[in-house]
Amino acid sequence: MTLYLNDIVNETYTNAEGEKLYAVLKDAFSSNEKVVLSFKDSSITSSSFLNSSFGRLIESYGLDRFMQSVTPKELTVTQAEVLKKYVSSFSKKDAA
Amino acid sequence: MAKKDNQDILIQSFADFSKVYKIISSGDFQDKITLVVGMPELRPIEVLIITQFSIWLQKRSSNLTLLVSPKLKKYLDSIGLSEFCKTNIQSPSTVESIESQTAMSIKRVDRETMHAYVNATETYLKNICQAKDLQMLNHCLSELINNVYDHSDSEIDAYVFCEYYPESNVISIAVSDLGMGISNSVKRYFKQENKVEMSEREYVKWALEENKTVRSRPHNMGKGLDNLNSFARSNDTIWKILTNGVLMESVGSENRYYDNPIPGFQGTIVVLDIRVDRLQERKFVDDDWDWLN
């Protein structure tokens, strides 16, 4: 299923908004659905926002499951760099 | 507690702001204080030091007057400093329009207003940085403001001021708070975790490493300052942090640590000097994006 980030959250800077995204994605994880998450027209994600959304999912379900289940699309190069850096830090943590 | 008298503080150099922090830490000040500023110009960092001091004093029923050169007075009037300090004592209040064509008005930011401020900054800067990708700048701003709320315990929120320098094509952004400071925050965490004590500089270095966090909030995973580091290196942004007794300055790909040039400094100020010509063009990722590429 495709979800639009801008439909779920008002902004992508605070952990409160990240928790909203977490709640939506968690539902999808619980029902084993793969999610395509569109970042069209959304602002860049802060680490607080990611910690409360992607980070919580990764800690709950593991990095592999997260990467298989969530596919971002319609991102700017900068948004993609931020997301990749964020996710790759989890694989470094696991390796350490 | 304020005493009924006047007090003059002479500021002729950056280090002289130590007199301001001495008052803040001692709580010993007069009813009316005059800051006599002999510096030829004020950068965002100095504007915010003065702003915070003014608001801190007014919350304690003391008043701050600035005595400056006519040129500096014209500049401070153009950025709306006086009006901001009068209207932001208890809570954030926006100075809607200012005369300056190269500065955004000073902003007292809390979590509720952060989003609006970051968007307003992007709108303002789009005129200067046409076709440039400003998302990393927004990212840095939101990281810095979140850090204030997650770690600083600042009594008077965070303050942001942004100035564009056309002659050098540089945007200078400063974010400040009067909280406990990075090294004190990390030191407190180390004590709670029974970790070996380190020096103030080592605490700040630790805070800048990836995945290091004091976890003062459940959602902290320690990526905020590291993201700033990466952004700064990717486009030659010069950034510095003044916090407690430490100054960190980025020099190329290296961060260097010194004693804070303002003795007795309290809180944290982060300054980013962004070279507009080094910002990337705004581009989109191809459709077949995946996590591994």
Side-chain angles (χ1 to χ4, degrees):
Chain A
M1 83 174 142
T2 297
L3 298 174
Y4 289 85
L5 186 57
N6 265 359
D7 290 343
I8 302 169
V9 299
N10 294 318
E11 38 89 349
T12 55
Y13 302 127
T14 61
N15 68 285
E17 294 296 309
E19 283 166 9
K20 289 183 192 174
L21 176 61
Y22 170 76
V24 167
L25 292 178
K26 187 169 187 297
D27 280 348
F29 270 61
S30 302
S31 42
N32 286 318
E33 281 196 78
K34 289 187 192 280
V35 173
V36 173
L37 184 63
S38 170
F39 282 68
K40 188 172 173 6
D41 297 329
S42 69
S43 47
I44 197 162
T45 48
S46 77
S47 58
S48 282
F49 178 87
L50 290 174
N51 288 341
S52 297
S53 52
F54 287 6
R56 274 182 78 183
L57 286 166
I58 293 170
E59 292 206 329
S60 300
Y61 294 97
L63 183 60
D64 286 345
R65 170 98 190 266
F66 173 80
M67 287 166 65
Q68 285 159 15
S69 304
V70 177
T71 303
K73 74 165 193 177
E74 296 181 292
L75 314 106
T76 63
V77 168
T78 305
Q79 283 172 326
E81 282 172 4
V82 167
L83 290 187
K84 281 179 187 172
K85 185 173 192 292
Y86 183 81
V87 170
S88 70
S89 69
F90 283 91
S91 57
K92 282 183 202 169
K93 258 168 74 174
D94 288 344
Chain B
M1 179 181 283
K3 298 170 192 169
K4 300 233 180 266
D5 209 340
N6 292 334
Q7 183 178 3
D8 288 350
I9 300 174
L10 182 59
I11 305 286
Q12 289 187 304
S13 68
F14 191 58
D16 280 343
F17 282 108
S18 62
K19 301 172 191 175
V20 161
Y21 289 99
K22 190 175 176 186
I23 287 176
I24 292 173
S25 64
S26 68
D28 185 15
F29 53 91
Q30 308 293 340
D31 214 14
K32 291 177 188 172
I33 296 178
T34 301
L35 213 58
V36 183
V37 181
M39 296 165 77
E41 63 167 1
L42 293 175
R43 299 161 296 168
I45 188 171
E46 288 120 358
V47 168
L48 288 187
I49 291 174
I50 293 169
T51 302
Q52 287 183 145
F53 186 46
S54 173
I55 288 171
W56 185 90
L57 283 171
Q58 288 180 85
K59 279 176 74 77
R60 289 156 177 79
S61 305
S62 182
N63 275 314
L64 181 70
T65 302
L66 288 185
L67 200 58
V68 298
S69 66
K71 180 185 168 193
L72 210 43
K73 183 177 184 318
K74 190 175 173 189
Y75 169 70
L76 294 176
D77 287 344
S78 78
I79 64 170
L81 176 68
S82 175
E83 188 186 342
F84 179 85
C85 289
K86 283 180 204 159
T87 55
N88 279 267
I89 301 167
Q90 300 303 336
S91 57
S93 173
T94 302
V95 175
E96 290 295 347
S97 70
I98 57 174
E99 284 173 26
S100 171
Q101 300 297 308
T102 56
M104 280 196 67
S105 52
I106 304 165
K107 185 73 180 157
R108 175 173 173 163
V109 187
D110 56 21
R111 274 231 159 98
E112 285 67 43
T113 55
M114 173 166 62
H115 175 221
Y117 179 75
V118 173
N119 286 349
T121 308
E122 184 174 10
T123 304
Y124 167 73
L125 291 175
K126 264 180 184 164
N127 293 328
I128 300 166
C129 312
Q130 291 175 14
K132 297 286 189 180
D133 187 353
L134 294 172
Q135 290 195 317
M136 275 315 272
L137 183 60
N138 295 347
H139 186 57
C140 291
L141 269 180
S142 64
E143 297 292 3
L144 288 171
I145 295 167
N146 271 325
N147 265 356
V148 171
Y149 288 93
D150 287 345
H151 303 298
S152 80
D153 293 337
S154 175
E155 173 196 322
I156 53 172
D157 292 332
Y159 294 83
V160 191
F161 180 53
C162 176
E163 176 92 51
Y164 171 60
Y165 296 94
E167 59 279 2
S168 52
N169 206 17
V170 164
I171 299 166
S172 185
I173 297 181
V175 179
S176 71
D177 70 77
L178 262 184
M180 69 164 63
I182 294 173
S183 38
N184 282 343
S185 173
V186 176
K187 185 179 180 180
R188 181 176 68 174
Y189 168 72
F190 267 52
K191 200 172 173 184
Q192 284 167 357
E193 299 292 311
N194 292 318
K195 290 176 182 277
V196 174
E197 259 194 59
M198 302 197 293
S199 69
E200 276 196 306
R201 287 188 196 183
E202 284 167 332
Y203 286 140
V204 177
K205 269 189 214 175
W206 184 92
L208 263 63
E209 288 173 22
E210 191 177 8
N211 294 326
K212 292 294 197 304
T213 176
V214 300
R215 281 207 174 258
S216 51
R217 301 284 185 274
H219 56 270
N220 288 162
M221 287 188 199
K223 299 178 195 305
L225 289 177
D226 171 65
N227 282 338
L228 278 166
N229 226 4
S230 301
F231 166 70
R233 287 180 184 176
S234 69
N235 54 35
D236 290 338
T237 289
I238 296 168
W239 74 302
K240 58 174 87 164
I241 304 176
L242 275 83
T243 189
N244 303 121
V246 180
L247 163 66
M248 185 289 294
E249 269 186 340
S250 66
V251 180
S253 61
E254 201 186 327
N255 292 339
R256 295 187 185 165
Y257 297 83
Y258 307 94
D259 289 340
N260 193 322
I262 302 178
F265 182 90
Q266 185 175 314
T268 301
I269 302 183
V270 181
V271 182
L272 300 166
D273 286 330
I274 300 158
R275 294 178 54 173
V276 175
D277 60 349
R278 295 297 177 95
L279 289 172
Q280 294 176 10
E281 304 294 320
R282 190 175 169 98
K283 284 185 236 174
F284 287 84
V285 169
D286 292 336
D287 277 345
D288 58 347
W289 188 88
D290 64 62
W291 290 109
L292 301 173
N293 286 334

